[in-house]
Amino acid sequence: EALLQNAPENSAVHVVVAELSAAGGDTAAARKHLKKALEIDGNSLAALLGLARIESNDGRLSAARSLLRNALEIAPENSIVMNEMANVAAIEGDQATAASWLEKARAVDPRAVRPRIRLAKLYLAQARHAEAASVIREAADVDPENAEVRNLLGVSEVIAGNHRADAGHFARAVDE
């Protein structure tokens, strides 16, 4: 509240208060502050993403998609926005569109691990093992100590029948 008193017309302050509200379980307050942030600055990527996540979590996928499209107009090469578009598609059960958004995120941000992890899991679920293994190796090149990546490397090795390698990946994932 002190933040709001000192800077009531600062969109970033409203985004921070919204994040705190959401973390405390008060999505109504979070929604209110994100909408206020957008009134102040209609190009606030953080507010658009935050509100899109709330809408998506509340099952308002059309509203979430609209907000994310606005975000893409502002930041067309933003892998985080693309990852959120993939979330909406996945919730709708459209795995092909989810994969497409994750591939786009992967292409625009060679250092982004999250879309690679999600894409590898999606490929594994579709029994596209070679593609999953390739994406997992990319993620490992970016973040070799990431426990989730290490685990997926192990899963990939199990599927490929390389049980010596999988033990090492799983052991490292557990140690981390």
Side-chain angles (χ1 to χ4, degrees):
E1 293 302 315
L3 286 172
L4 288 173
Q5 289 176 355
N6 291 331
E9 294 303 314
N10 184 318
S11 67
V13 169
H14 283 279
V15 170
V16 169
V17 172
E19 289 172 354
L20 295 171
S21 297
D26 190 351
T27 56
R31 181 179 276 112
K32 178 185 92 171
H33 285 289
L34 290 168
K35 286 181 177 182
K36 179 64 177 176
L38 288 170
E39 284 176 24
I40 296 166
D41 177 6
N43 290 330
S44 171
L45 195 58
L48 286 166
L49 279 167
L51 191 54
R53 286 179 181 136
I54 288 173
E55 298 295 5
S56 179
N57 289 340
D58 286 349
R60 294 193 262 288
L61 301 179
S62 180
R65 192 178 307 100
S66 178
L67 290 160
L68 292 169
R69 282 191 189 118
N70 291 345
L72 282 170
E73 287 178 19
I74 296 164
E77 303 253 326
N78 188 298
S79 68
I80 296 169
V81 177
M82 293 173 186
N83 200 46
E84 291 301 322
M85 288 294 280
N87 285 342
V88 171
I91 291 168
E92 292 174 322
D94 187 349
Q95 301 308 319
T97 299
S100 175
W101 280 112
L102 293 169
E103 285 287 3
K104 288 175 186 176
R106 175 182 174 208
V108 300
D109 190 350
R111 305 287 307 157
V113 174
R114 178 58 37 204
R116 285 168 172 75
I117 290 171
R118 294 192 57 223
L119 187 59
K121 288 179 178 181
L122 189 123
Y123 285 163
L124 286 171
Q126 296 174 344
R128 294 166 62 182
H129 301 132
E131 290 166 285
S134 175
V135 174
I136 294 164
R137 283 190 297 276
E138 279 181 22
D141 288 344
V142 174
D143 189 358
E145 301 307 316
N146 182 304
E148 192 171 9
V149 170
R150 305 288 328 156
N151 183 56
L152 285 171
L153 281 168
V155 169
S156 174
E157 295 293 344
V158 167
I159 290 168
N162 186 356
H163 299 293
R164 273 193 165 174
D166 68 11
H169 294 306
F170 285 134
R172 286 187 65 193
V174 170
D175 289 344
E176 295 167 8

